[in-house]
């Protein structure tokens, strides 16, 4: 063991001792609180007949305040216990400009200060000074403190892995050592609890995105495996730290693609010491905005219909409603409806006259609110005008007569009829084709947008201060128009245009930027998830010249050609057995459609294999063997991936090419593809990659 290693182990033990002391002090204080609460409860019981109402309230409030204080202490203790297992992951020595001695800065997930020694032993990774660990190697460096720019030099930089209180290794270097640790971390098998925090391996470009607190709306275009979702969550954690006085976890909302994905990412913020934030799917949000009065197809069902039916008319309807031109048509239609929505006529009560032009002006002034509210506002404005000009207050019967008269001036039709009329107005009635009273998914957000423009809409989540939208490419411009009107707050929007599972309604980063005001965009082009070999295979399916694959090497992907379906099932069973005997935690078997995935799952279970099927109703992520579609797997990652039936007749359209790319880029360490018959022409088949059975 070298001298620096001995020094660092001694420092680790000293830090852990200070943490243990702090934990013990909290234990003592919690014990005092518990005894105090018990004593006050006993006092209330014994003196209940002699206490008046005010004294009882005072005692209850004291108990509640003590409980609140105990909860704060318990939260601090939980953080300290985490620090005990791994207090920090990095160190750099910073020599401030004009000073003679450098200061060692240790960076960890949480802040820790030894109050008795009046010394900060660990700096939170989000602290301004900690940014230098990610942004600089040894040499000139600076950071932005609250009171100004602090310049100096990094004279030393080290990285550690500390697990269960033990230092497993230490790296000291003048180069970008985070890369070395990242390579080692990426080569390991995935954990079995979903996405994890990555504070020890954040890269320089990722750090810049995380700490961007100027952008009102930040659009992150990240290639497959670039860590964009993790970075977005770390950005949320950073903003909660940076604006702790004005922003809490209750103020943040995540729009996630499905509940499995929401569960998969659910550990990240709690690991970073923050409370879990609310999440909602687009369909659930739509149902809320439509007051649960409409039945409609889900995005999952729409994608399944596209894959199973190859209906050209359906593709045309979806594409038409996903265009910016359609959004402008709705705006023009609203102006058209507004002109014919009200026919003002003169109204009299006794000798008092209200001219038609006054009603027209009042009606126009209060546009964009619900019909009932709009009528009420015009009635109120009319009453006020009568009071000013005639010095007269309307009687109850006159007020009712006025309200009925104004209601008679309005042209009222249902929202559904109004929406259907849109397609007749633009001369394309065939674009509206509900099935059995159920709206197509492509109609849901245009309907909501129309409702917002005509009548306004109640936003049940108006208190949201930061909105995070994942899988941005799967939402059409009209959906962003709705979100932009609903949420004027700051936003983080992320996704990858190469991973659209429905190209007929996808959006590019530029289209999103146009739809959302004050938006700026950044790119993440380096892919970390998959080995070099897997990534090159995937890029041959869907080329992306901007993508830079991490040079972490492993097995070549295999394409195995089978003569019959039963042979494919047998071989997949063998792959499952091999997985069970490995150090890997997760294996995904991916089919093209949900029906294919369900049949595949049944066949595997019938042979005795243990596997879990994911579908639209699944609510949680789990390790082990999972059978799903590329649509459900998007955003997730697995140690091993098997793509089933990549035959020429199963994968041949551009949409299916995208799905195949998504499926392949879920694999971290091993990728195997099985074809029943001739493999798809979109696959990069090379010598040594194909085996025949």
């Amino acid at each position: 063991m070298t001298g620096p290693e001995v020094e660092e182990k001694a420092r680790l033990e000293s830090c852990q001792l200070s943490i243990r002391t702090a934990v013990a002090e909290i234990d003592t204080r919690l014990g005092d609180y518990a005894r105090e609460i018990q004593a006050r409860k006993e006092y209330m019981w014994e003196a209940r007949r002699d206490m008046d109402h005010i004294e009882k309230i005072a005692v209850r409030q004291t108990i509640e305040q003590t409980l609140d204080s105990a909860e704060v202490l318990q939260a601090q203790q939980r953080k300290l216990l985490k620090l005990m297992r791994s207090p920090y992951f990095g160190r750099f020595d910073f020599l401030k400009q004009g000073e003679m001695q450098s200061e060692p800065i240790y960076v960890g997930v949480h802040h820790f200060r030894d109050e008795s020694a009046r010394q900060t032993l660990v700096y939170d990774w989000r602290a301004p000074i900690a940014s230098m660990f990610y942004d600089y190697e040894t040499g000139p460096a600076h950071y932005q403190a609250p009171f100004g720019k602090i310049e100096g030099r990094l004279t030393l930089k080290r990285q550690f892995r500390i697990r269960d209180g033990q230092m497993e290794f230490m790296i000291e270097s003048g180069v970008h050592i985070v890369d070395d640790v990242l390579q080692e971390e990426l080569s390991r098998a995935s954990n079995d609890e979903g996405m994890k925090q990555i504070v020890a391996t954040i890269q320089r470009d990722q750090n810049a995105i995380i700490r961007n607190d100027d952008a009102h709306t930040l659009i992150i275009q990240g290639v497959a495996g670039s860590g964009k979702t993790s970075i977005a969550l770390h950005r949320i954690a950073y903003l909660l730290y940076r604006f702790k006085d004005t922003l809490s976890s209750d103020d943040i909302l995540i729009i996630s693609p499905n509940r499995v994905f929401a569960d998969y990412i659910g550990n990240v913020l709690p690991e970073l010491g923050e409370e879990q934030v609310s999440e909602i799917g687009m369909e659930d949000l739509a149902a809320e905005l439509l007051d649960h009065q409409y039945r409609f197809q889900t995005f999952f069902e729409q994608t399944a219909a596209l894959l199973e039916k190859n209906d050209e008319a359906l593709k045309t309807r979806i594409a038409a409603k996903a265009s910016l031109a359609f959004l402008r048509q709705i705006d023009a239609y609203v102006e058209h409806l507004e002109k014919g929505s009200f026919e003002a006529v003169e109204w009299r009560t006794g000798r008092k006259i209200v001219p038609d032009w006054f009603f027209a002006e009042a009606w126009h002034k209060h546009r964009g609110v619900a019909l009932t509210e709009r009528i009420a506002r015009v009635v109120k404005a009319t009453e006020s005008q009568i009071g000013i000009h005639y010095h007269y207050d309307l009687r109850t019967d006159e007020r009712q007569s006025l309200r009925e008269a104004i209601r008679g001036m309005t042209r009222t039709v249902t929202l559904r009829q109004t929406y259907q009329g849109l397609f007749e107005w633009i001369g394309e009635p065939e674009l509206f084709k509900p099935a059995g009273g159920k709206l197509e998914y492509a109609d849901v957000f245009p309907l909501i947008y129309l409702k917002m423009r005509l009548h306004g809409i109640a936003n049940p989540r108006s208190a949201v201060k930061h909105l995070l939208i994942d899988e941005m490419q799967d939402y059409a411009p009209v959906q962003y128009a709705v979100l932009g009107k609903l949420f004027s707050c700051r936003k983080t929007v992320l996704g990858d245009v190469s991973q659209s599972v429905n190209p007929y309604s996808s959006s590019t980063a530029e289209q999103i930027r146009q739809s959302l005001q004050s938006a700026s965009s950044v790119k993440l082009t380096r892919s970390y998830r998959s080995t070099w070999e897997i990534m090159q295979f995937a890029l041959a399916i869907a080329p992306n010249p901007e993508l830079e694959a991490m040079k972490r090497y492993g097995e070549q992907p295999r394409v195995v050609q089978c003569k019959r379906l039963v042979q494919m099932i047998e071989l997949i069973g063998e792959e499952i057995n091999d997985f069970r005997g490995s150090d890997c935690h997760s294996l995904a078997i991916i089919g093209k459609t949900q029906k294919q995935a369900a049949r595949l799952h049944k066949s595997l279970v019938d042979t005795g294999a243990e596997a879990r099927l994911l579908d639209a109703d699944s609510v949680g992520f789990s390790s082990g063997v999972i059978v799903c579609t590329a649509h459900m797997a998007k955003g997730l990652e697995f140690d091993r991936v098997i793509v089933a039936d990549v035959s020429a007749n199963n994968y041949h359209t551009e949409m299916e090419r995208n799905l195949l790319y998504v499926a392949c880029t879920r694999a971290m360490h091993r990728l195997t593809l099985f074809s029943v018959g001739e493999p798809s022409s979109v696959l990069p088949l090379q010598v040594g990659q194909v085996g025949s059975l």
Side-chain angles (χ1 to χ4, degrees):
M1 188 179 296
T2 64
E5 287 176 323
V6 172
E7 170 197 326
E8 291 293 359
K9 287 206 170 186
R11 201 273 179 183
L12 173 60
E13 291 172 1
S14 174
C15 181
Q16 288 172 322
L17 178 60
S18 297
I19 296 171
R20 271 194 293 271
T21 301
V23 170
E25 289 174 355
I26 290 177
D27 270 334
T28 300
R29 292 175 64 187
L30 287 173
D32 292 341
Y33 282 150
R35 286 187 289 275
E36 181 182 340
I37 291 169
Q38 184 61 33
R40 291 190 179 277
K41 286 182 176 179
E42 289 175 357
Y43 170 73
M44 279 192 70
W45 175 253
E46 292 169 358
R48 63 189 184 281
R49 292 188 177 87
D50 301 324
M51 295 171 68
D52 59 24
H53 182 64
I54 295 175
E55 188 178 1
K56 287 179 180 178
I57 291 174
V59 174
R60 289 194 188 99
Q61 287 178 340
T62 302
I63 291 173
E64 288 173 2
Q65 290 169 359
T66 306
L67 284 170
D68 290 341
S69 299
E71 285 181 8
V72 171
L73 276 180
Q74 286 173 333
Q76 291 176 358
Q77 190 178 59
R78 285 193 294 270
K79 288 183 179 180
L80 290 175
L81 291 172
K82 282 186 179 180
L83 281 182
M84 280 287 293
R85 297 192 291 272
S86 182
Y88 43 82
F89 52 81
R91 167 189 171 174
F92 61 89
D93 290 7
F94 182 57
L95 179 62
K96 288 182 184 177
Q97 197 172 68
E99 295 189 359
M100 300 296 293
Q101 188 172 355
S102 60
E103 177 188 3
I105 306 294
Y106 286 82
V107 183
V109 175
H110 304 303
H111 176 89
F112 175 63
R113 179 177 174 83
D114 187 335
E115 295 298 341
S116 60
R118 296 184 178 180
Q119 181 184 11
T120 298
L121 299 183
V122 183
Y123 285 85
D124 192 297
W125 66 279
R126 299 167 289 185
I129 195 171
S131 65
M132 291 190 291
F133 176 76
Y134 302 107
D135 291 339
Y136 297 103
E137 314 316 323
T138 52
H142 72 269
Y143 71 97
Q144 198 67 37
F147 46 83
K149 186 178 180 180
I150 307 297
E151 297 188 270
R153 293 181 60 84
L154 262 60
T155 59
L156 178 147
K157 190 172 180 182
R158 290 173 179 162
Q159 185 141 5
F160 315 96
R161 180 195 284 155
I162 301 170
R163 294 193 178 180
D164 297 325
Q166 300 298 313
M167 186 179 295
E168 295 184 355
F169 68 67
M170 180 192 88
I171 297 176
E172 181 170 348
S173 176
V175 299
H176 196 62
I177 59 175
V178 175
D179 274 350
D180 299 329
V181 178
L182 177 62
Q183 282 275 14
E184 203 277 338
E185 286 293 326
L186 292 174
S187 67
R188 298 164 65 89
S190 65
N191 66 78
D192 57 357
E193 297 175 2
M195 186 178 285
K196 290 289 189 179
Q197 56 89 353
I198 58 166
V199 292
T201 56
I202 291 171
Q203 304 295 286
R204 187 178 289 122
D205 58 341
Q206 297 173 332
N207 188 50
I209 293 170
I210 289 170
R211 294 175 187 267
N212 183 335
D213 53 21
D214 295 326
H216 181 272
T217 296
L218 185 64
I219 299 171
I220 306 172
Q221 160 58 37
V223 298
S226 59
K228 53 189 171 291
T229 301
S230 184
I231 293 308
L233 292 169
H234 283 69
R235 171 170 159 77
I236 294 299
Y238 169 77
L239 293 173
L240 287 169
Y241 176 91
R242 173 74 173 79
F243 301 105
K244 59 173 69 79
D245 294 333
T246 57
L247 187 70
S248 74
S249 56
D250 293 334
D251 301 324
I252 296 170
L253 178 66
I254 298 175
I255 294 181
S256 59
N258 54 64
R259 286 171 288 183
V260 173
F261 180 78
D263 181 63
Y264 178 71
I265 67 174
N267 287 325
V268 176
L269 287 172
E271 275 197 4
L272 295 171
E274 301 295 345
E275 296 293 327
Q276 186 57 276
V277 301
S278 298
E279 64 84 24
I280 192 171
M282 261 312 185
E283 287 92 351
D284 291 334
L285 179 63
E288 284 185 3
L289 297 176
L290 292 171
D291 301 318
H292 302 277
Q293 293 181 354
Y294 293 83
R295 292 171 56 243
F296 56 81
Q297 179 189 50
T298 66
F299 180 65
F300 188 91
E301 290 168 340
Q302 182 195 74
T303 303
L306 284 168
L307 289 169
E308 292 167 5
K309 298 176 183 176
N310 196 25
D311 184 338
E312 292 300 326
L314 173 60
K315 294 175 186 177
T316 299
R317 292 196 298 275
I318 294 171
K321 296 164 191 173
S323 67
L324 286 169
F326 184 62
L327 197 56
R328 291 192 289 269
Q329 285 178 318
I330 296 176
D331 288 332
Y333 180 58
V334 168
E335 294 302 318
H336 164 73
L337 291 176
E338 181 61 29
K339 292 175 183 177
S341 67
F342 192 75
E343 186 177 347
V345 296
E346 183 184 276
W347 182 77
R348 294 169 177 262
T349 178
R351 295 184 177 181
K352 302 163 190 66
I353 302 172
V354 181
D356 55 0
W357 60 262
F358 175 82
F359 286 121
E361 286 184 0
W363 184 257
H364 181 76
K365 179 181 178 182
H366 296 290
R367 65 186 299 177
V369 298
L371 179 63
T372 303
E373 176 62 20
R374 196 175 186 183
I375 291 172
R377 291 184 186 186
V378 175
V379 168
K380 186 175 181 181
T382 307
E383 283 189 85
S384 176
Q385 196 70 7
I386 290 172
I388 292 170
H389 282 275
Y390 294 105
H391 305 288
Y392 179 74
D393 292 331
L394 293 179
R395 301 188 309 272
T396 302
D397 62 316
E398 291 174 318
R399 192 179 299 112
Q400 180 63 29
S401 173
L402 172 63
R403 186 178 293 107
E404 290 174 359
I406 294 172
R407 188 178 289 113
M409 299 177 203
T410 64
R411 179 177 178 271
T412 59
V413 293
T414 67
L415 178 62
R416 186 188 178 95
Q417 289 171 332
T418 305
Y419 181 67
Q420 184 172 355
L422 164 66
F423 298 99
E424 295 168 359
W425 184 74
I426 64 176
E428 298 185 84
E430 71 280 358
L431 289 181
F432 184 65
K433 192 178 179 181
K438 192 174 185 180
L439 294 174
E440 290 185 326
Y441 182 73
D443 287 310
V444 175
F445 281 87
L447 180 70
I448 293 171
Y449 183 72
L450 181 65
K451 181 181 179 183
M452 295 176 88
R453 288 295 318 274
L454 286 175
H455 308 308
I457 205 162
N459 181 7
R461 301 172 187 272
S462 57
V464 171
K465 294 181 181 178
H466 197 103
L467 182 70
L468 191 155
I469 307 170
D470 208 343
E471 302 297 345
M472 67 180 189
Q473 70 280 354
D474 287 336
Y475 304 129
V478 67
Q479 290 173 283
Y480 285 103
V482 169
L483 293 175
K485 286 182 175 294
L486 275 179
F487 302 100
S488 59
C489 60
R490 291 177 178 267
K491 301 175 186 70
T492 300
V493 187
L494 59 142
D496 178 16
V497 296
S498 299
Q499 296 185 62
S500 171
V501 296
N502 181 353
Y504 308 104
S505 64
S506 60
S507 293
T508 64
E510 179 57 27
Q511 286 174 323
I512 297 167
R513 193 187 65 76
Q514 291 177 19
S515 299
L516 300 176
Q517 294 181 348
S518 305
S520 58
S521 58
V522 295
K523 288 184 178 181
L524 291 170
T525 58
R526 197 176 189 197
S527 179
Y528 301 97
R529 176 188 298 132
S530 306
T531 62
W532 171 266
E533 292 81 4
I534 291 172
M535 209 63 237
Q536 296 310 306
F537 184 89
L539 285 172
I541 296 171
N544 182 353
E546 291 189 330
L547 189 149
E548 177 190 354
M550 184 91 170
K551 289 182 171 61
R552 177 175 66 85
Y553 299 102
E555 302 176 20
Q556 282 284 354
R558 293 185 305 131
V559 180
V560 180
Q561 182 177 338
C562 307
K563 292 181 179 179
R564 293 178 297 158
L565 178 63
V566 66
Q567 290 175 319
M568 184 183 78
I569 299 299
E570 289 173 1
L571 289 174
I572 292 177
E574 291 177 10
E575 289 286 326
I576 292 174
N577 290 335
D578 183 75
F579 162 76
R580 299 288 187 197
S582 73
D583 294 330
C584 295
H585 297 296
S586 57
L587 167 64
I589 305 168
I590 300 177
K592 188 182 79 171
T593 68
Q594 191 61 41
K595 288 181 179 178
Q596 289 180 12
R599 287 196 296 266
L600 181 61
H601 176 259
K602 183 179 185 305
S603 297
L604 290 171
V605 170
D606 287 345
T607 64
E610 291 184 12
R612 180 186 171 208
L613 177 66
L614 292 186
D615 58 24
D617 296 324
S618 299
V619 296
F621 177 81
S622 64
S623 59
V625 181
I626 286 175
V627 182
C628 62
T629 63
H631 182 185
M632 285 298 297
K634 196 167 51 160
L636 311 179
E637 63 183 22
F638 305 88
D639 291 320
R640 298 183 181 186
V641 166
I642 294 170
V643 188
D645 196 10
V646 293
S647 59
N649 63 353
N650 205 29
Y651 286 94
H652 52 87
T653 68
E654 281 303 302
M655 182 177 182
E656 289 159 353
R657 180 194 293 270
N658 285 356
L659 288 172
L660 200 51
Y661 174 80
V662 171
C664 292
T665 54
R666 301 309 94 200
M668 297 172 64
H669 308 300
R670 180 189 285 186
L671 172 63
T672 307
L673 302 93
F674 289 98
S675 171
V676 180
E678 190 70 23
S680 170
S681 61
V682 307
L683 292 173
L685 301 181
Q686 299 170 6
V687 176
Q689 281 188 314
V690 181
S692 297
L693 287 175

